[in-house]
Amino acid sequence: MIYARRASPLHAARPVVGVAWCAALVVAALVVDHPLVLAALLVAVVASGLAARVGDRLAGAARIAVPIGVMWLLIEPLVLRDGLTVIARLGELPPFGRLDITLEATVAGAIFGLRAVVVIMAFGLYAAAVDPDEVLRLFRRRGLRSALTVTVATRMVGVLERDARRMADGQRCRGTGEASRLAVVRTVAGGALERALDVSAALELRGYGARRPGDHRRRSPAWSRHDLAFAASAVAVIALVVLGEISGATAFEWNPRLDAAGLAEAGPLSAALLLVMLVPFLDRRGIAR
Amino acid sequence: MSLVSLSGVTYTYPGASGAALRDVALEVEAGEFVVVAGLSGSGKSTLVRILSGLAPHTLGGTFGGRAVVAGMDTREHGPGELAVAVGTLLQDPETQTVMGTVRAELAFPLENQGEPPGAVARGVEEVALALGIAPLLDRSTAQLSGGELQRVALGAALAGHPQLVVLDEPTSQLDPVAGDELIWLLRRLNEEWGTTVVLVEHRLERCLAAADRVLAFAGGEVAFDGAPSPFLDWALAAAPPLATPGARLFALAGLSPSPAGVKAARAALATAHLDASSGVLTTHTVVNTPLDGEVLRFKRVWHELAGGRTILRDVDLRFAPGERIALMGRNGAGKSTLLRHAKGLLEPTRGKVRVGGPVALLLQHPGDLLFADRVADELPPQALAAAGLTALRERHPRDLSGGERQRLALAVATHGAQTPAVVCLDEPTRGMDRARKADLAEEIDRLAAEGAAVLVATHDPEFAVAFADRVILLGDGIVLADGTPEEVLAGGWYFATEVARITRGAALTAEDGAQTLANIKGSDPLMRNIKGSDPLMRVVEA
């Protein structure tokens, strides 16, 4: 999930716009409950990844996202006691007690799982298509803390990936028997704070965040058509989500009884979201094929 | 006014029981090239952190006294502000790159200083050319080797033309060629740009010749401050592990003053009419008879990457039980890949790897083998006792010292139902002082005595001579040389010990060199009292 420069409209957009566009995608996924809208957002992420020529990187994100989504789908019906439409009676099952699987709880699990997949894939798209170096420069004068947050969100992915690969080798070198995969994940995660501090120290040693008198500020170039298109797309996504929430088009009733009839009502909004997210990719003028 | 001025500096790390630096007072003038010497834990790295402002700003802890660098008091100015005047290179290059490409990494400090784009572009080109990393400019930093990363991190430290460069063991991950190049590049910067250099190093034989001054630390205090040659005289008497092989050679041969480098040593020998190259090669005294049989066989092994790059080319090697082998070569020569094939972490593209029993591999980062929260959970009690780690059983592996962590990782790697037939160590001496290297050499002896073939990838010729009875030199995936240490390490220039360079290949160790000189003179070597106190001389004493 490391950034790779590719010829695409999203790569051509300035980093602040790329960040805003990916953030709009994540916000939409976090706000909306409607499965059709979430499905549209997932299609938008995948299609955007392909249009940005980072499908291979997005596949890496999918390998993390899909198991998490499936886990959510499987666990939620076991722990959620809502819903009236029982689809399976499992009887007494420790530690859950009497267990009835309801259609509504299953749908809720699917919604949460789908949301998790969209959010993780959107982060994957961000990491693959928005230049982290430019993002770091963007935050240069915002101070070290904000820079560190941004760096941890982007640069640390690669650092921890390398750590995990090394430790996976280390696991195989243990004469005492291989440590569990969970132990590897725990050790990598446990070292993340230390690694973040190392990165923070490196940033400081290179003079990051220090304000200097007479700083030469790079004059920002005029906004390109790609900047304008993706910025407009981000604004439109948020506007459509707000509109959907106010109008009730994105409302989805699943408790106490699933209202399948309302599913299609979000169709136009979903289509609109998909459209406004993908339209900026259509302008491929000036991008080598 | 001095460029660096420390007065009464005492620093204690957060949670530490004792101070890492105690009441240190020193001045460094602009244009000086200062080498900082000392054993592990003596306070060298802490000095670097204080000069760069990391201590106490980023690291916390308790700071007393006053440190002024380039007119800035480090209590008031943090690393970000000090970065205008101080370029810093820390030990681990992997944690020092923050940008995605080499070009961006080199441009980053210049941009942070507010330089206009033209000056940034020029600065990047200049520093890349100076360090020989221009071909890497558009590479991703994630794809660089350890040695390449080190040079890029050095480039980033130098890009802003700092008045002072502080470096913490910059050659620890570099092969002898790259290490020597880096030291002489620093000297050139010092002479041509007037850059003041403060260099922390364990392998002093590499850098003393370039230094104007040596600061030796012991127990957090300055134990010696003076020119390189007097430093070596002091080290021979007061801190033998810090004495270079060349200095020990001279001491054993009764010559003085101690030479700070190969050139000075040769000049002194010429003055004394001692042409060592006229002497017969005196063999060093590692005594080891490998057992019959074969525990590891590389049969025409090739290793090719998906992109077409070839790492190993037709490698054909056999190893017998009890053999102690040093695997040497430049960064990227294929040493680590060979060890990974022995362990079975990699599959050959062509050829076969045959092993005659369990293979243990200690990776470059020993911490990568440790996953438990307590030392006691890593190994059964008897194995902990055998490794001498029982006293540390309640500690977290991450809180152990470098040497302790390595010992634990080696015990974890070699522990199992069966004794390993082959033990592979991948660059185990990085950042080690001579005393710890001696401990490791003893451990290698023990493993070999138990019948294991021990393969050690190392960049350190002095260490190779101390433990190995066979040296394999790899270059670009090909076996360039395979023979005894005398055959491989005596005639080379980069892959040679300091004594071999001084004596033009007539001897590898100080002791053999002294014997050679004595033979020429027709007298016995003096073998002064220093012999017994040199940690890496245990083989000779045996």
Side-chain angles (χ1 to χ4, degrees):
Chain A
M1 292 214 297
I2 296 170
Y3 171 78
R5 179 80 205 172
R6 302 275 160 83
S8 88
L10 183 55
H11 286 83
R14 65 180 58 205
V16 68
V17 171
V19 171
W21 188 81
C22 292
L25 190 54
V26 172
V27 167
L30 292 174
V31 168
V32 172
D33 279 333
H34 202 291
L36 195 62
V37 180
L38 287 171
L41 290 173
L42 180 60
V43 171
V45 174
V46 173
S48 302
L50 294 173
R53 298 181 176 180
V54 291
D56 53 338
R57 309 293 164 115
L58 216 52
R63 278 195 285 274
I64 299 169
V66 172
I68 291 174
V70 170
M71 198 170 69
W72 219 309
L73 172 66
L74 296 176
I75 290 175
E76 196 70 13
L78 298 176
V79 295
L80 197 67
R81 298 304 172 92
D82 293 333
L84 296 173
T85 316
V86 177
I87 54 174
R89 294 189 189 281
L90 303 182
E92 290 290 330
L93 195 70
F96 302 105
R98 183 179 168 72
L99 206 61
D100 292 336
I101 304 293
T102 66
L103 175 65
E104 287 77 15
T106 307
V107 169
I111 290 171
F112 290 138
L114 191 56
R115 175 178 290 147
V117 171
V118 174
V119 169
I120 295 170
M121 300 273 284
F123 272 111
L125 181 60
Y126 162 75
V130 181
D131 187 345
D133 294 352
E134 289 297 329
V135 175
L136 205 59
R137 290 187 178 106
L138 194 67
F139 284 83
R140 192 191 307 279
R141 288 174 186 82
R142 302 280 184 272
L144 191 70
R145 283 186 188 170
S146 53
L148 183 59
T149 310
V150 172
T151 307
V152 167
T154 50
R155 177 99 185 121
M156 287 301 289
V157 175
V159 170
L160 295 180
E161 256 187 348
R162 275 207 302 270
D163 285 356
R165 264 201 302 273
R166 278 202 342 257
M167 284 183 187
D169 279 348
Q171 183 196 28
R172 294 173 63 190
C173 291
R174 288 169 62 88
T176 48
E178 290 193 7
S180 68
R181 189 169 286 193
L182 186 66
V184 176
V185 172
R186 202 166 51 93
T187 309
V188 172
L193 181 62
E194 208 173 309
R195 296 300 250 163
L197 285 173
D198 288 339
V199 172
S200 160
L203 283 170
E204 287 193 272
L205 290 175
R206 302 288 176 255
Y208 192 87
R211 288 178 172 78
R212 318 215 181 282
D215 259 2
H216 176 91
R217 285 174 182 275
R218 284 204 289 180
R219 199 171 292 140
S220 295
W223 280 49
S224 70
R225 58 181 186 280
H226 298 298
D227 296 337
L228 292 170
F230 278 99
S233 171
V235 171
V237 167
I238 296 298
L240 281 171
V241 168
V242 170
L243 198 68
E245 288 291 303
I246 293 171
S247 68
T250 53
F252 180 67
E253 291 299 325
W254 56 268
N255 191 33
R257 194 177 289 278
L258 185 67
D259 178 17
L263 256 180
E265 285 174 19
L269 184 85
S270 304
L273 271 174
L274 196 56
L275 189 69
V276 298
M277 296 208 77
L278 295 182
V279 158
F281 287 97
L282 296 178
D283 181 2
R284 303 191 68 83
R285 284 174 291 161
I287 291 172
R289 289 169 192 274
Chain B
M1 186 182 167
S2 303
L3 184 64
V4 174
S5 172
L6 267 61
S7 54
V9 170
T10 298
Y11 176 72
T12 308
Y13 285 101
S17 53
L21 282 189
R22 299 166 202 277
D23 198 23
V24 171
L26 60 91
E27 312 259 322
V28 176
E29 301 302 327
E32 275 193 297
F33 191 125
V34 182
V35 166
V36 183
L39 297 180
S40 299
S42 59
K44 309 184 298 296
S45 296
T46 307
L47 178 71
V48 168
R49 289 167 190 153
I50 283 172
L51 295 181
S52 63
L54 287 176
H57 290 279
T58 307
L59 301 172
T62 311
F63 182 91
R66 190 158 186 256
V68 180
V69 180
M72 289 180 273
D73 189 323
T74 62
R75 289 173 303 184
E76 293 157 18
H77 300 272
E81 291 163 270
L82 285 165
V84 180
V86 185
T88 306
L89 183 65
L90 301 177
Q91 273 181 29
D92 186 359
E94 276 185 23
T95 59
Q96 289 178 81
T97 45
V98 287
M99 306 298 268
T101 66
V102 173
R103 190 182 295 279
E105 190 69 40
L106 299 181
F108 190 57
L110 293 164
E111 291 170 348
N112 290 334
Q113 286 182 17
E115 297 285 349
V120 170
R122 183 180 160 185
V124 168
E125 291 295 329
E126 280 186 347
V127 80
L129 289 170
L131 291 168
I133 51 175
L136 304 180
L137 276 176
D138 293 311
R139 290 259 301 272
S140 160
T141 50
Q143 295 169 345
L144 302 180
S145 70
E148 288 169 338
L149 267 178
Q150 189 73 300
R151 278 190 288 165
V152 171
L154 176 66
L158 296 174
H161 286 229
Q163 293 168 263
L164 169 68
V165 187
V166 286
L167 310 100
D168 194 357
E169 293 183 44
T171 67
S172 64
Q173 305 210 18
L174 301 182
D175 59 62
V177 184
D180 280 3
E181 281 173 0
L182 191 143
I183 298 297
W184 288 105
L185 171 81
L186 290 172
R187 185 71 220 184
R188 211 178 81 215
L189 294 177
N190 173 257
E191 286 176 359
E192 292 180 8
W193 293 5
T195 309
T196 307
V197 178
V198 174
L199 169 67
V200 171
E201 247 316 325
H202 273 310
R203 283 186 262 180
L204 296 172
E205 61 273 13
R206 275 190 172 167
C207 56
L208 281 188
D212 301 317
R213 176 181 167 194
V214 184
L215 283 170
F217 276 76
E221 295 172 357
V222 178
F224 177 89
D225 183 356
S229 187
F231 159 74
L232 290 169
D233 292 336
W234 169 83
L236 286 164
L242 298 182
T244 60
R248 288 200 309 282
L249 166 70
F250 269 47
L252 291 171
L255 298 168
S256 64
S258 298
V262 173
K263 184 178 174 184
R266 283 186 174 177
L269 289 182
T271 306
H273 305 291
L274 291 169
D275 180 8
S277 61
S278 64
V280 179
L281 175 66
T282 309
T283 55
H284 79 297
T285 49
V286 171
V287 179
N288 181 43
T289 313
L291 306 171
D292 290 336
E294 184 180 281
V295 286
L296 176 61
R297 171 82 202 271
F298 290 90
K299 198 171 175 188
R300 310 202 67 176
V301 169
W302 289 73
H303 184 82
E304 292 158 322
L305 300 182
R309 204 175 139 221
T310 305
I311 308 296
L312 296 177
R313 300 163 194 267
D314 203 18
V315 170
D316 205 282
L317 291 166
R318 296 161 191 268
F319 300 99
E323 263 195 303
R324 293 175 289 195
I325 307 107
L327 204 53
M328 304 192 75
R330 295 208 62 176
N331 291 113
K335 304 183 295 296
S336 297
T337 305
L338 196 72
L339 298 187
R340 282 164 180 267
H341 274 289
K343 174 64 184 167
L345 296 181
L346 297 172
E347 287 285 327
T349 316
R350 282 180 267 170
K352 278 186 182 165
V353 179
R354 223 168 35 213
V355 293
V359 177
L361 168 60
L362 180 65
L363 299 166
Q364 282 184 17
H365 299 267
D368 291 348
L369 276 80
L370 307 174
F371 296 94
D373 291 331
R374 287 190 322 152
V375 169
D377 296 335
E378 292 285 2
L379 283 170
Q382 66 274 22
L384 268 187
L389 294 165
T390 306
L392 306 170
R393 59 194 313 281
E394 295 303 323
R395 298 262 295 274
H396 193 292
R398 230 182 356 232
D399 296 334
L400 301 179
S401 72
E404 291 162 350
R405 193 160 47 233
Q406 188 180 62
R407 213 154 13 116
L408 176 62
L410 184 57
V412 166
T414 54
H415 184 75
Q418 285 178 280
T419 310
V422 181
V423 178
C424 304
L425 310 177
D426 196 356
E427 290 187 36
T429 59
R430 293 192 314 173
M432 268 190 185
D433 60 39
R434 284 175 66 83
R436 272 175 56 197
K437 283 180 197 173
D439 292 342
L440 181 64
E442 275 179 17
E443 185 65 21
I444 292 169
D445 284 351
R446 188 185 64 76
L447 291 165
E450 288 173 3
V454 187
L455 268 86
V456 182
T458 181
H459 286 147
D460 186 345
E462 315 289 344
F463 180 66
V465 167
F467 81 88
D469 42 35
R470 178 178 170 191
V471 177
I472 294 170
L473 188 61
L474 281 179
D476 202 18
I478 296 168
V479 177
L480 301 177
D482 181 359
T484 63
E486 290 79 14
E487 288 165 345
V488 180
L489 297 177
W493 180 247
Y494 287 111
F495 291 95
T497 62
E498 189 185 33
V499 170
R501 290 197 260 177
I502 291 171
T503 60
R504 298 178 197 273
L508 293 180
T509 65
E511 297 66 37
D512 292 345
Q515 186 63 58
T516 304
L517 295 178
N519 293 343
I520 295 168
K521 281 197 292 189
S523 65
D524 287 334
L526 292 178
M527 295 292 176
R528 289 189 337 201
N529 193 32
I530 63 155
K531 178 183 162 189
S533 42
D534 174 26
L536 276 182
M537 277 182 61
R538 78 213 149 72
V539 178
V540 175
E541 287 161 353

